[in-house]
């Protein structure tokens, strides 16, 4: 197709067979082609797909990578999560706004849009930004100004990448400056050089695991996974074998395997590394899952922020098809058919929640669904579906390669195997670590060079914040459960600022469907602001706990159920920080009421001062 | 022993709650036997004269004078009760919170279709208390000990609450008294 004639909206719809379940892909392509999905495009899509325009509009306004308003040819999305803020986000943002002459959310006359975004999975090389799909890392104000100047010359984000990262980041289909930062225990001074189990990060020779799986029956594969006691690595820790068994037992001939690569939990980036370095291990895991549950189709749901990995992953899929590892007849054994497609996300944290992810795969806005029915009964398009995390599927492949017994040698009874940790923040060696379950937090911090840590956020904002007296606790499902994020905060950090940043994130990402989450996140944020301003009272802390409990009990999905955790866990583990800031007024006046501020508008309008202030 | 004192006031309210208080009919004589009325629209003192056991507040705070009076009550009453929906939640006056104050006043005094205001002056007499940026309910301004719901709370609700407070018993409001639909 000639560059001067971009495809029309109906043509784009036709590429996807005018299928409403591919609406996310269609909208993404319209956005890419025209810089926005405007009212005319929304109309055209609605007509082509024979769906109400409001469905299209609702989807466009839901996802952060889609917009109704035109954007520039180049969009700079600067990551604003707490780790980036600790590493100079303010200065970089100031440099961008000054050099571009625009504010956040605006577009310069030469077609560059500046935005901020939640975590893009690059906390170990913060501050970072996405320029269209291209990640740029370790920014500073000089580099920001330089990026703008270069973009003005060529408007080609790809040319911003001069020094390539390690491993597959340098692959011709990736060509990214992202670094893997895969660390080994022995990197630490005085760290032991002894046996370091590598399970999900171990090298993978493609046919092996799949061949072994296909040589036994699906029921035996499930039994092997159950024997390994493998639990979901995304955070919830549900036993993988049992999930598969449910899905296999669910009635219906058509079933689906979904790999959740919507790694949106701020501070998590281990799936990015797995997808870059061990894609075959991930896809093999999906294929084995497909064989085990009797599914013939797999979907890799890739978050929009990782779009730069897509051509590479498509190539890997193609290579697997050619090698008979995917396609109509796996390994030519006449036993099973399985193929995988990549579904791109469009920028929504809640889509990491499995039911919201399924809704998004179906081409709708990522609203979570009610459970039951569970996805294993009725998931994608109403079909029995198993949703597994990237790391879980990597472990599946390893279990097939070496057997359940070898896998169980590592870890504890309740938590077998290893866990990948994404460590960032105030530490000398941020990056990805593979540790066996049961490793004490203190040892993990020593590995990362964070002995001085005053607080550690385990499992991202939806997890918990722990302090020094918790450092002897261990990483495992029964103690410090984590989806993999570990943010380290040194003694110089204001923990309430961290809590505030997390609440800001949740308030922004709440889908708004249910009241406890939509309202609770904002209420908590206001109360934290009040406490930070020194206007809090002890009763405010009780109110926060009460709101938090309501959110936990009454929210519809995991986002709302965990969104109060930053407050609840700091109130529990760092109460003195709060107690130092809240006071009771001796006269019974509310400290939160600011009379001076409340009459300011009136004073301006009437031109006289209050006699009561 | 001196009788406990009781003070009442109407802030940003409509006096409906005070009408409801009067609506306890002849039971007001029982109340009068139990208490002395201090500052109240009923007796017309302007300031509280002596420490009060109970302060009843009708209405929320829409201007600086409301805040001053409410704080005066808080300082001088042992127990403060928000009476009625305006005091507890802002009520009807709080509808203006949907519109920024400046816009509200511009519409009312400068730009409304029926406004005749050739000097284009906002009300600025020094006798007029300054409006707050929005209407606040009482517990946002001072600590409030009890809330009586209702618009207005019925005479029975007010009477039962008062008797309970004065006799040191738990307030018992049967469902019928706090059910409004």
């Amino acid at each position: 197709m000639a560059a001067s004639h971009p495809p029309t909206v109906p043509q784009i719809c036709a590429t996807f067979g005018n299928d409403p379940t591919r609406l996310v892909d269609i909208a993404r392509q319209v956005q890419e082609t025209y810089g926005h999905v405007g009212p005319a495009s929304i109309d055209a899509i609605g007509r082509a797909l024979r769906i109400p325009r409001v469905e299209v509009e609702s989807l466009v306004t839901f996802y952060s990578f889609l917009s109704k308003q035109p954007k520039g040819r180049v969009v700079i999305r600067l990551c604003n999560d707490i780790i980036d803020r600790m590493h100079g986000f303010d200065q970089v943002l100031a440099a961008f706004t000054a050099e571009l002459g625009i504010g956040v959310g605006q577009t310069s006359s030469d077609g560059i849009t500046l935005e901020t975004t939640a975590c893009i999975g690059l906390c170990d090389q913060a501050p970072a930004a996405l320029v269209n799909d291209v990640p740029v890392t370790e920014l500073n104000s000089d580099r920001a100004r330089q990026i703008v100047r270069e973009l003005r010359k060529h408007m080609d984000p790809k040319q911003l990448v001069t020094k390539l990262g390690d491993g597959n980041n340098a692959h011709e289909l990736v060509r990214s400056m992202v670094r893997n930062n895969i660390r080994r225990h022995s990197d630490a001074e005085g760290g032991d050089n002894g046996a370091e189990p590598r399970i999900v990060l171990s090298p993978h020779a493609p046919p092996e695991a799949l061949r072994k799986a296909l040589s036994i029956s699906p029921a035996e594969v499930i039994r092997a996974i159950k024997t390994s006691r493998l639990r979901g690595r995304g955070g919830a820790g549900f036993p993988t074998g049992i999930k598969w068994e449910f899905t296999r037992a669910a009635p219906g001939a058509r079933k689906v395997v979904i790999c959740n690569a919507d790694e949106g939990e701020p501070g998590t980036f281990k799936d990015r590394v797995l997808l870059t370095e061990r894609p075959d291990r991930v896809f093999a895991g999906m294929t084995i899952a497909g064989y085990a549950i009797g599914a013939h189709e797999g979907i890799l749901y890739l978050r929009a922020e990782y779009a730069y990995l897509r051509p590479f992953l498509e190539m890997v899929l193609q290579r697997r098809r050619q090698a008979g590892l995917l396609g109509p007849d796996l390994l030519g054994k006449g036993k099973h058919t399985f193929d995988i497609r990549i579904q791109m996300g469009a920028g929504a944290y809640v889509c990491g929640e499995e039911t919201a992810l399924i809704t998004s795969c179906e081409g709708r806005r990522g609203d979570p669904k009610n459970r039951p029915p569970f996805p294993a009964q009725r998931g994608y398009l109403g079909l029995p579906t198993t949703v597994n995390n990237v790391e879980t599927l990597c472990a599946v492949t390893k279990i097939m390669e070496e057997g359940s017994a070898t896998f169980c040698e590592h870890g504890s009874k309740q938590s077998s195997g290893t866990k990948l940790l994404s460590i960032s923040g105030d530490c000398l060696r941020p990056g990805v670590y593979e540790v066996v379950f049961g490793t004490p937090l203190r040892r993990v911090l020593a590995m990362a060079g964070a002995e001085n840590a005053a607080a550690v956020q385990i499992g991202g904002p939806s997890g918990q914040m722990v302090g020094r007296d918790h450092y002897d606790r261990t990483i495992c499902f029964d103690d410090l459960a984590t989806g993999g994020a570990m943010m380290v905060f040194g003694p110089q950090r204001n923990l309430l600022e961290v809590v505030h940043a997390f609440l800001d994130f949740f308030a922004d990402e709440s889908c708004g469907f249910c009241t406890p989450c939509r309202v609770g996140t904002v209420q908590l944020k206001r109360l934290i602001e009040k406490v930070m301003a020194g206007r809090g009272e002890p009763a405010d802390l009780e109110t926060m706990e009460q709101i938090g409990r309501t959110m936990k009990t009454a929210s519809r999905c995991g986002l709302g159920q965990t969104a109060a955790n930053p407050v609840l866990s700091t109130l529990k583990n760092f109460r003195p920080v709060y107690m130092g800031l809240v006071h009771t007024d001796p006269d019974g006046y509310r400290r939160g009421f600011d009379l001076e501020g409340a009459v300011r508008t009136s004073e301006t309008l009437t031109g006289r001062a209050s006699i009561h202030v | 022993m001196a009788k406990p004192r009781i003070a009442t006031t109407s802030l940003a309210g409509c006096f409906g709650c005070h009408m409801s208080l009067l609506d306890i009919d002849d039971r007001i004589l029982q109340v009068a036997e139990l208490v002395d009325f201090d500052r109240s629209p009923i007796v017309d003192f302007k300031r509280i004269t002596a420490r009060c056991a109970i302060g009843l507040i009708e209405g929320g705070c829409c201007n600086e004078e409301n805040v001053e009076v409410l704080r005066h009550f808080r300082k001088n009453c042992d127990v403060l009760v928000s009476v009625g929906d305006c005091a507890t939640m802002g009520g009807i006056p709080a509808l203006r919170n949907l519109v920024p104050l400046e816009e509200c006043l511009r519409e009312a005094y400068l730009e409304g279709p029926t406004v005749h205001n050739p000097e284009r002056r906002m009300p600025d007499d020094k006798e007029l208390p300054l409006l707050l940026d929005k209407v606040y309910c009482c517990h946002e301004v001072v600590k409030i000990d009890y809330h009586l719901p209702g618009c207005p709370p019925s005479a029975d609700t007010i009477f039962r609450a008062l008797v309970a407070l004065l006799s040191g018993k738990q307030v018992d409001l049967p469902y019928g008294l706090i059910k409004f639909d």
Side-chain angles (χ1 to χ4, degrees):
Chain A
M1 202 174 298
S4 54
H5 293 292
T8 64
V9 174
Q11 279 168 349
I12 292 173
C13 294
T15 333
F16 293 95
N18 292 325
D19 181 356
T21 68
R22 302 302 296 275
L23 182 55
V24 174
D25 306 83
I26 293 169
R28 272 187 61 98
Q29 199 164 340
V30 172
Q31 175 83 35
E32 208 171 293
T33 313
Y34 296 102
H36 70 305
V37 189
S41 302
I42 290 175
D43 277 335
I45 296 173
R47 272 197 304 274
L49 270 50
R50 294 167 181 274
I51 53 174
R53 87 181 294 286
V54 66
E55 266 182 40
V56 186
E57 183 166 2
S58 137
L59 179 124
V60 171
T61 52
F62 180 82
Y63 293 101
S64 67
F65 278 60
L66 304 174
S67 64
K68 274 171 76 182
Q69 283 75 36
K71 285 193 187 169
R73 269 172 60 205
V74 174
V75 181
I76 300 174
R77 291 187 174 87
L78 182 61
C79 176
N80 67 4
D81 76 26
I82 186 68
I83 303 296
D84 291 66
R85 283 172 202 247
M86 282 158 40
H87 288 89
F89 165 84
D90 289 334
Q91 290 89 322
V92 174
L93 182 65
F96 272 127
T97 50
E99 192 68 27
L100 286 163
I102 55 170
V104 175
Q106 296 177 330
T107 302
S108 69
S109 53
D110 43 1
I112 302 176
T113 303
L114 179 63
E115 291 182 354
T116 57
T117 183
C119 184
I120 55 176
L122 293 164
C123 289
D124 56 336
Q125 34 217 303
L130 289 174
V131 183
N132 288 355
D133 289 345
V134 178
V136 286
T137 58
E138 292 179 335
L139 296 172
N140 52 41
S141 47
D142 281 348
R143 182 73 187 121
R145 279 188 284 271
Q146 196 189 345
I147 284 173
V148 174
R149 285 182 205 134
E150 282 181 42
L151 281 174
R152 284 198 166 125
K153 271 185 238 156
H154 49 65
M155 291 301 261
D156 178 11
K158 287 201 173 69
Q159 289 188 37
L160 297 173
V161 180
T162 44
K163 194 165 164 242
L164 296 177
D166 54 339
N168 283 335
N169 289 303
H171 191 282
E172 55 172 355
L173 288 172
V174 183
R175 293 196 57 79
S176 163
M177 65 197 289
V178 172
R179 278 183 290 105
N180 290 323
N181 287 336
I182 301 174
R183 310 281 181 178
R184 303 186 76 88
H185 305 195
S186 47
D187 289 348
E189 269 175 67
D192 55 76
N193 293 298
E196 297 176 27
R198 277 283 160 93
I199 293 186
V200 292
L201 276 175
S202 63
H204 169 63
E208 182 66 8
L210 187 56
R211 179 166 301 149
K212 282 194 177 162
L214 289 178
S215 68
I216 55 178
S217 73
E220 283 169 319
V221 174
I222 292 178
R223 196 180 317 137
I225 300 300
K226 281 170 81 174
T227 315
S228 75
R229 302 192 304 269
L230 174 64
R231 294 170 68 171
R233 301 307 199 220
F238 192 82
T240 308
I242 294 178
K243 193 187 263 189
W244 288 9
E245 201 167 50
F246 285 155
T247 321
R248 178 160 188 85
R254 193 178 157 202
K255 290 168 189 174
V256 185
V257 174
I258 296 181
C259 171
N260 183 348
D262 190 61
E263 186 176 46
E265 188 69 42
T268 321
F269 42 84
K270 46 122 188 143
D271 292 346
R272 183 199 77 222
V273 172
L274 287 175
L275 291 166
T276 309
E277 294 304 322
R278 302 287 181 267
D280 270 305
R281 186 171 277 286
V282 181
F283 293 140
M286 288 177 75
T287 315
I288 293 163
Y291 174 67
I293 67 165
H296 302 294
E297 48 193 310
I299 300 173
L300 176 80
Y301 187 92
L302 186 64
R303 70 185 299 220
E305 289 80 353
Y306 295 169
Y308 72 100
L309 290 172
R310 187 177 182 179
F312 169 70
L313 293 172
E314 294 282 8
M315 180 279 292
V316 175
L317 286 175
Q318 197 51 39
R319 197 173 63 195
R320 290 183 70 85
R321 285 184 196 108
Q322 282 157 5
L325 302 169
L326 278 179
D329 182 11
L330 297 181
L331 293 171
K333 292 196 168 203
K335 285 186 96 170
H336 199 68
T337 302
F338 191 77
D339 210 335
I340 296 171
R341 79 170 168 91
I342 297 178
Q343 170 68 54
M344 291 305 301
Y349 167 75
V350 72
C351 287
E353 195 278 336
E354 64 174 3
T355 63
L357 181 143
I358 288 171
T359 319
S360 181
C361 285
E362 291 166 343
R364 291 184 281 146
R365 43 179 281 152
D367 290 325
K369 300 178 195 236
N370 282 333
R371 285 184 294 194
F374 289 90
Q377 303 159 283
R378 295 190 52 181
Y380 176 66
L381 302 176
L383 308 167
T385 305
T386 182
V387 183
N388 292 123
N389 179 263
V390 172
E391 188 185 343
T392 314
L393 291 164
C394 286
V396 162
T397 314
K398 187 72 175 180
I399 293 165
M400 280 300 120
E401 279 166 7
E402 296 187 351
S404 316
T406 317
F407 184 81
C408 288
E409 279 170 13
H410 308 293
S412 62
K413 188 154 182 1
Q414 295 302 319
S415 318
S416 57
T418 60
K419 184 77 197 83
L420 285 191
L421 299 175
S422 322
I423 306 184
S424 62
D426 294 319
C427 59
L428 293 175
R429 293 173 289 276
V432 173
Y433 291 77
E434 181 163 12
V435 303
V436 292
F437 276 114
T439 306
L441 180 54
R442 192 180 300 283
R443 202 171 115 75
V444 175
L445 292 173
M447 284 178 212
E451 291 89 341
N452 199 21
V456 185
Q457 180 75 20
I458 308 275
S462 70
Q464 51 178 325
M465 179 91 82
V466 298
R468 290 201 172 95
D469 42 349
H470 293 260
Y471 290 176
D472 287 321
R473 294 175 65 186
T474 57
I475 306 293
C476 65
F477 289 107
D478 307 313
D479 196 358
L480 293 173
T482 169
M486 192 176 279
M487 297 170 165
V488 182
F489 301 103
Q492 75 277 28
R493 305 293 176 189
N494 178 351
L495 286 190
L496 294 194
E497 262 173 37
V498 177
V499 173
H500 183 260
F502 289 165
L503 288 174
D504 208 24
F505 167 76
F506 283 125
D508 200 43
E509 294 291 345
S510 168
C511 81
F513 195 103
C514 71
T515 312
C517 171
R518 180 184 67 242
V519 175
T521 47
V522 176
Q523 292 282 354
L524 286 180
K525 194 175 129 185
R526 285 189 188 155
L527 283 165
I528 283 285
E529 281 164 8
K530 186 176 165 188
V531 172
M532 287 171 79
R535 289 184 164 273
E537 297 175 44
D540 290 324
L541 306 187
E542 282 162 41
T543 311
M544 283 195 259
E545 279 166 328
Q546 198 185 342
I547 294 173
R549 274 197 302 274
T550 307
M551 290 167 68
K552 247 182 174 21
T553 324
S555 292
R556 193 156 176 257
C557 80
L559 193 157
Q561 286 157 15
T562 56
N565 285 354
V567 174
L568 295 178
S569 75
T570 47
L571 274 173
K572 187 163 160 252
N573 298 334
F574 296 90
R575 207 168 183 94
V577 175
Y578 287 89
M579 292 313 284
L581 287 166
V582 295
H583 307 284
T584 310
D585 186 280
D587 290 326
Y589 297 175
R590 284 284 180 238
R591 293 164 45 80
F593 178 71
D594 170 22
L595 180 58
E596 205 172 322
V599 294
R600 196 166 296 133
T601 315
S602 278
E603 287 181 326
T604 318
L605 290 175
T606 57
R608 70 187 163 85
S610 164
I611 53 166
H612 294 294
V613 173
Chain B
M1 199 177 84
K3 285 193 277 187
R5 304 179 73 79
I6 179 169
T8 77
T9 186
S10 178
L11 306 174
C14 68
F15 277 89
C17 296
H18 275 81
M19 298 308 290
S20 201
L21 173 63
L22 294 178
D23 204 26
I24 62 177
D25 300 328
D26 56 343
R27 284 177 293 181
I28 199 147
L29 296 175
Q30 293 176 41
V31 173
E33 268 175 33
L34 289 171
V35 298
D36 280 331
F37 273 90
D38 200 289
R39 176 198 157 136
S40 165
I42 297 169
V43 292
D44 212 25
F45 295 147
K46 300 303 180 206
R47 301 294 280 180
I48 293 175
T49 58
R51 183 89 195 155
C52 291
I54 300 172
L56 301 182
I57 313 289
E58 169 189 345
C61 293
C62 76
N63 63 35
E64 54 178 346
E65 194 244 352
N66 294 156
V67 173
E68 203 276 331
V69 172
L70 183 55
R71 285 178 169 174
H72 176 62
F73 265 68
R74 179 69 272 178
K75 257 194 167 159
N76 292 286
C77 300
D78 295 340
V79 170
L80 219 48
V81 186
S82 274
V83 180
D85 290 347
C86 297
T88 52
M89 294 182 286
I92 300 285
L95 282 177
R96 86 151 153 98
N97 292 359
L98 302 171
V99 183
L101 177 62
E102 185 169 0
E103 213 176 295
C104 216
L105 291 175
R106 281 188 175 283
E107 182 67 16
Y109 295 104
L110 302 179
E111 280 150 20
T114 58
V115 170
H116 176 73
N117 183 359
E119 289 176 63
R120 295 188 65 76
R121 277 177 70 187
M122 295 274 196
D124 57 358
D125 192 286
K126 64 181 189 332
E127 292 290 327
L128 292 174
L130 293 175
L131 290 177
L132 305 181
D133 57 343
K134 58 176 192 158
V135 176
Y136 293 81
C137 45
C138 293
H139 66 270
E140 286 183 298
V141 179
V142 300
K143 176 173 178 284
I144 296 289
D145 301 290
Y146 296 99
H147 300 264
L148 279 185
C151 184
S154 69
D156 282 347
T157 310
I158 297 177
F159 182 72
R160 276 168 177 265
L162 270 182
V163 169
L165 277 175
L166 290 166
S167 55
K169 288 185 184 136
Q170 188 122 31
V171 187
D172 172 32
L173 297 176
Y175 183 58
L177 288 182
I178 46 170
K179 174 179 175 291
F180 301 106
D181 56 346

